[in-house]
Amino acid sequence: MQILFVLSSLFRFKDSRMEDVWLVDFYAPWCGYCKKLEPIWKEVGAELTRSGSPVRVGKMDGTAYSGVASEFGVRGYPTIKLLKGELAYNYKGPRTKDDIIEFANRVAGPAVRSLPSRQMFEHVLKRHSVLFLYVGGESPLKEKYTEVASELIVYTYFFSASEDVLPESVTLHELPSVVVFKDGTYFTYDEYEDGSLSSWVNRERFQSYLPIDGFTLYELGETGKLVAIAVTDERDPTERTALSVCTQCFCNDQKSSLMLSCRDFQFGHMEGNDYINSLIMGEVSVPSIIILNTSNEQYFVPAEPVEDLEQLLRFFSSVLDGSAPAFGGDGIFQRIKRVAYDARSTIMSVFRSSPLLGCFLFGLPLGVISLMCYGICTAESDDDTELMKRDGFTDEEEEEGEEEEQGAKISSSS
Ligand SMILES: *[C@@H]1O[C@H](CO)[C@@H](O)[C@H](O)[C@H]1NC(C)=O
C-alpha cells in the first residue's frame, strides 16, 4: 500500500502535483462519513496500483491543512478531488470503490479519446449508453469540443473519430459535427438551435428514460429539463411495469404527436413516494405521475389518475402549453415552508428515534418560550404574530402527544 500517502507536507504535495495526477480524499477526523470511506479508499488505492494506473491516491486532513483545503475549494467532508495539472475535478458520485475507480480512470485520461477503427467504435458504443462523438478533422469546433470535454469529463466520456469509422446507417449533413448516440438513435449538435456546446452536452448526457433516485434527480437538475417521473409501488411490480412502461413507450414512440417536445422531458420511474413527498412537501399517491420543472422547482400532477396513454399525452401537453396548474416553486413562501418543513421533520425524527431525548431537547425550551410568549402576550395583547407562534407550538405538541410532558417541564422549571 505504498501509494497511499498521507499528505503530511504541503510543500512536497504542491511540488509533485504538477507532473502527477492525484486522487485526494480531504477528510476531517470527526466526520463519520469519512470513517466509512476509509476502507473503500484503501481498496481504491490498492486497485489503482495493481492496474498500473498513473493516478496516485492520497488523503489529507482538511482541518489540519485548512489552507490547502480552502485553496482547493473544499467545503464539506469528505471531499474527493482529482488533481490533474492546474485543474481540480470534484467527485460527486456514490462513494463506492468501482464508481470512484471509474471516475479516476476517466478523468485522469485524455479529455477526448480517439476511436481509430469501426470495430473500436462498435465496441465503445456497446459499453456506453450515452456516447458523445466528434466527427471530422481539426477545426474550431474540435477546439471547442476539447474545451467542453476537459470540463465535463467528470460526467461522461468524449470521443472523436473520422467519418469512415461510422457505420453507413449514420448520415451527417455536414462535417465536422458533434453527435450523441443514445436511446438507440443519434442526435447532432446544431450550433444555431441548441445554444452553447456545453449546455447541449449537459442536456443530452442522460438517456431519455432512467430509474431515478435522489442523486440522479439532483444531477438532472443541471439539465434544466422537465423531469417526468412515474412514482411506483416497490411492493407491487405489476403496477410498476404498467406505468413506467407507459412512460417509456411514450418517449420512444417516434410517431407520437409530441415527439418534438418529448426532448424537453427527462423520463424515469422512482420506487416509493418517500423522496418525492419530502421534495414537494406533500403527498403523491402511488402509483402516479409527477412532472418536476428543475429550473424553477415547480411541479405538476394530473388532476385525475392517469390510466392510459391517451390521458398521459393529454397531461403532458397541458403541462407544455401551460394549462396545467403548477405547484411549488422557488418563491419566498416556498422557502419559508421548506425551513418549517425541515425543522418539523427533524423534530419528528428525534421524537421517533428517542422520545425521552426529544422531550428534553424540545419540551424544556418550548416550555420556557411558551412562558415568555405568555408574558409578552399578556403585556401586549395585540401582538398577533406572537400568538400565532404560540399556537403553532401547541399544535406540534399535541401531535406528538407530549402535552403532559411539557406541562411537567413547565412546572418543574417555574
Ligand atoms: C420551467 O421553468 C422555467 C424557468 O422559470 C420556465 O421558463 C418554463 O416555462 C417552465 N416550464 C414549464 C413547463 O412550466
Side-chain angles (χ1 to χ4, degrees), residues 46-333:
E47 175 83 31
L48 283 174
T49 319
R50 202 177 314 134
S51 66
S53 161
V55 179
R56 306 176 74 182
V57 180
K59 58 180 187 170
M60 175 177 269
D61 181 347
T63 57
Y65 300 96
S66 52
V68 187
S70 71
E71 188 191 327
F72 287 115
V74 175
R75 285 198 203 88
Y77 298 106
T79 292
I80 298 173
K81 281 184 189 267
L82 188 129
L83 314 172
K84 183 179 161 190
E86 282 289 86
L87 299 168
Y89 296 94
N90 259 337
Y91 178 70
K92 294 184 191 153
R95 296 193 196 105
T96 64
K97 182 184 127 196
D98 291 346
D99 286 307
I100 296 172
I101 286 175
E102 197 271 340
F103 166 83
N105 287 333
R106 170 156 39 87
V107 180
V112 175
R113 292 158 158 88
S114 84
L115 298 175
S117 65
R118 168 102 29 115
Q119 287 94 313
M120 200 65 179
F121 170 76
E122 306 273 345
H123 173 73
V124 167
L125 189 59
K126 241 178 259 152
R127 291 186 44 175
H128 299 267
S129 52
V130 177
L131 186 144
F132 287 97
L133 184 69
Y134 171 86
V135 188
E138 295 304 319
S139 71
L141 183 62
K142 177 144 196 199
E143 279 167 32
K144 185 90 212 143
Y145 182 73
T146 311
E147 194 183 301
V148 168
S150 62
E151 182 194 341
L152 298 181
I153 190 135
V154 283
Y155 301 122
T156 185
Y157 285 92
F158 292 86
F159 296 95
S160 72
S162 62
E163 195 192 8
D164 47 332
V165 161
L166 296 177
E168 284 78 33
S169 57
V170 179
T171 44
L172 300 176
H173 297 298
E174 57 176 345
L175 282 180
S177 277
V178 177
V179 191
V180 58
F181 293 84
K182 63 176 194 175
D183 306 323
T185 177
Y186 62 94
F187 305 98
T188 312
Y189 166 65
D190 180 329
E191 208 177 335
Y192 299 100
E193 280 184 6
D194 297 323
S196 77
L197 184 58
S198 70
S199 68
W200 179 77
V201 169
N202 253 327
R203 279 200 308 279
E204 297 295 337
R205 65 190 170 89
F206 299 96
Q207 287 171 278
S208 63
Y209 190 92
L210 288 172
I212 294 180
D213 57 17
F215 178 69
T216 352
L217 198 54
Y218 163 78
E219 277 210 300
L220 288 173
E222 290 172 30
T223 65
K225 284 192 179 186
L226 293 166
V227 185
I229 305 173
V231 184
T232 57
D233 188 346
E234 59 236 286
R235 285 154 309 188
D236 189 350
T238 48
E239 277 298 349
R240 175 170 71 223
T241 24
L243 240 183
S244 54
V245 164
C246 206
T247 329
Q248 209 160 353
C249 69
F250 170 76
C251 72
N252 288 335
D253 180 7
Q254 307 277 337
K255 287 179 289 295
S256 147
S257 55
L258 277 173
M259 187 50 205
L260 259 185
S261 20
C262 189
R263 303 202 54 221
D264 296 336
F265 288 100
Q266 176 67 51
F267 297 87
H269 71 265
M270 191 175 231
E271 286 181 12
N273 61 356
D274 292 346
Y275 188 85
I276 289 291
N277 283 350
S278 72
L279 191 73
I280 67 170
M281 300 179 274
E283 177 96 26
V284 292
S285 54
V286 178
S288 67
I289 189 130
I290 182 167
I291 296 181
L292 308 170
N293 186 344
T294 52
S295 39
N296 63 4
E297 293 174 33
Q298 284 185 336
Y299 68 92
F300 305 87
V301 285
E304 297 144 35
V306 169
E307 261 139 29
D308 53 31
L309 199 54
E310 185 77 10
Q311 286 171 322
L312 193 64
L313 279 170
R314 222 177 302 135
F315 173 52
F316 278 107
S317 39
S318 72
V319 168
L320 280 178
D321 67 21
S323 63
F327 303 95
D330 53 5
I332 183 78
F333 174 71

